[in-house]
């Protein structure tokens, strides 16, 4: 359950939810959930065990983000480049949304979370498409936090697709104005969502890996060495606390 400001068992010096909600809460948090494979390797487990554990972390982070009043949470679940992985791992990763929705959807519905997907859905297996379509449909009237899955998503592919759709609309005579940033935003897969305020990447890697290249222009970045399956509520609070200390100027002074 997403009880309001549930008190976590605090370690000395740890950050409380009560403390965090006194400051500005990022409207949109995007997460590159990295390090599942290394987490599994350290335990002599198959890489898939790391992804499975990572899925559980998504549940915990979703609950906390929703409780804190975050408006949108985008998680990078499968990139357009992840097809290069061994077939078994790809199949496992593409089955995970089914398990996630199967076990967590009732809670998402109850807690007013709205599920969205961004990415090329056509290329993912039918069973996964069905599970995500059901989740999107069952939660479409929810008015709380948007949980946005980047699934078979790539930032460059998204931009190219937007440009091509603009060309089509232009050729069909449906576009009468010059393309500006506001219009371009509407052609992106993230249309309707504000740009992320905070990007989190786990596992010590400091790169974007083709994630939300347009949308992250003014986002605050927070990197941690923690591997995604080890990511705890405290880490999210830590990331938000760091965000609250940043001076965002958006190019101004
Ligand atoms: C990167 O770790 C992670 C991924 C490619 C997949 C992320 C997916 C999840 C966390 C599961 C969430 C899914 C749902 C449906 C909620 P990596 O495998 O590249 O790790 P490594 O760099 O240590 O090898």
């Amino acid at each position: 359950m997403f009880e309001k400001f549930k008190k976590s068992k605090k370690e000395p010096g740890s950050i409380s939810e009560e403390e965090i909600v006194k400051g500005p809460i990022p409207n949109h948090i995007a997460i590159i959930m990295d390090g599942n494979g290394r987490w599994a390797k350290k335990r002599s487990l198959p890489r898939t065990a790391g992804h499975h554990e990572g899925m559980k972390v998504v549940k915990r982070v979703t609950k906390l983000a929703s409780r804190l009043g975050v408006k949108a949470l985008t998680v990078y679940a499968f990139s357009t480049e992840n097809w290069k992985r061994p077939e078994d791992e790809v199949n496992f990763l593409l089955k995970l949304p089914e398990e996630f929705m199967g076990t967590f959807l009732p809670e998402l519905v109850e807690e007013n979370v709205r599920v969205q997907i961004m990415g090329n859905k056509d290329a993912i297996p039918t069973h996964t498409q069905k599970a995500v379509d059901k989740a999107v449909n069952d939660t479409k009237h929810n008015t709380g936090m948007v949980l946005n899955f980047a699934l078979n998503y790539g930032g460059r592919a998204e931009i190219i697709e937007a440009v091509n759709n603009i060309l089509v609309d232009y050729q069909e005579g449906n576009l009468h104005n010059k393309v500006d940033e506001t219009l371009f935003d509407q052609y992106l897969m993230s249309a309707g969502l504000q740009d992320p305020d905070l990007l989190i990447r786990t596992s010590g890697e400091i790169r974007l890996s083709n994630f939300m290249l347009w949308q992250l222009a003014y986002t605050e970045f927070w990197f941690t060495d923690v591997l995604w399956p080890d990511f705890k509520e405290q880490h999210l609070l830590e990331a938000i606390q760091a965000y609250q200390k940043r001076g965002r100027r958006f190019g101004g002074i």
Side-chain angles (χ1 to χ4, degrees):
M1 298 302 114
F2 304 176
E3 315 90 279
K4 214 63 185 152
F5 315 139
K6 192 179 76 179
K7 280 209 174 97
S8 49
K9 284 196 193 104
K10 282 209 305 167
E11 299 289 326
S14 69
I15 309 157
S16 71
E17 292 178 31
E18 292 86 340
E19 206 178 322
I20 287 301
V21 293
K22 286 183 193 145
I25 297 294
N27 277 318
H28 185 173
I29 301 179
I31 311 185
I32 304 178
M33 310 177 288
D34 198 6
N36 297 347
R38 277 163 282 169
W39 181 90
K41 194 169 174 209
K42 269 170 57 180
R43 288 162 180 77
S44 308
L45 294 169
R47 293 177 54 81
T48 49
H51 297 314
H52 195 260
E53 199 58 30
M55 179 195 68
K56 296 187 200 160
V57 178
V58 177
K59 293 183 183 179
R60 294 203 291 270
V61 165
T62 300
K63 289 182 186 189
L64 175 56
S66 164
R67 218 157 56 217
L68 293 173
V70 171
K71 302 274 183 291
L73 176 69
T74 296
V75 289
Y76 206 3
F78 192 88
S79 77
T80 44
E81 287 70 38
N82 286 153
W83 293 102
K84 293 180 199 152
R85 296 187 177 209
E87 198 182 335
D88 282 1
E89 187 173 341
V90 168
N91 290 342
F92 189 89
L93 279 170
L94 290 175
K95 232 184 133 35
L96 270 185
E98 218 180 329
E99 179 175 344
F100 181 85
M101 304 307 176
T103 54
F104 199 42
L105 188 55
E107 254 184 276
L108 292 173
V109 173
E110 192 185 327
E111 298 302 335
N112 202 20
V113 170
R114 184 152 56 92
V115 176
Q116 278 189 16
I117 303 290
M118 67 175 190
N120 178 6
K121 246 184 12 168
D122 296 343
I124 63 177
T126 322
H127 59 84
T128 314
Q129 281 185 38
K130 279 193 183 149
V132 298
D133 286 348
K134 179 172 166 25
V136 170
N137 195 49
D138 288 3
T139 62
K140 69 177 177 217
H141 297 304
N142 288 355
T143 53
M145 188 180 83
V146 171
L147 175 59
N148 182 36
F149 283 94
L151 199 55
N152 196 19
Y153 170 86
R156 287 186 174 182
E158 176 188 37
I159 291 170
I160 297 290
E161 189 184 293
V163 171
N164 282 319
N165 287 335
I166 287 172
L167 285 176
V168 170
D169 279 354
Y170 178 74
Q171 277 159 359
E172 291 179 353
N174 298 325
L175 244 188
H176 308 290
N177 299 323
K178 270 193 164 176
V179 176
D180 60 11
E181 293 189 11
T182 310
L183 183 98
F184 195 73
D185 266 334
Q186 291 161 13
Y187 281 85
L188 292 171
M189 294 169 179
S190 58
L193 294 177
Q194 285 184 27
D195 289 342
D197 302 292
L198 173 64
L199 170 84
I200 297 173
R201 181 169 188 150
T202 57
S203 92
E205 308 294 352
I206 320 270
R207 55 176 173 263
L208 285 183
S209 301
N210 202 14
F211 189 48
M212 304 188 87
L213 300 178
W214 171 273
Q215 299 88 335
L216 294 176
Y218 280 103
T219 302
E220 297 295 327
F221 292 180
W222 189 80
F223 298 101
T224 174
D225 287 340
V226 172
L227 304 176
W228 179 248
D230 288 329
F231 193 87
K232 301 280 181 296
E233 282 87 342
Q234 261 309 304
H235 298 118
L236 181 62
L237 294 172
E238 208 184 307
I240 298 177
Q241 189 178 61
Y243 167 85
Q244 291 177 338
K245 290 180 182 157
R246 305 262 175 101
R248 300 185 81 192
R249 292 187 293 279
F250 300 95
I253 52 169

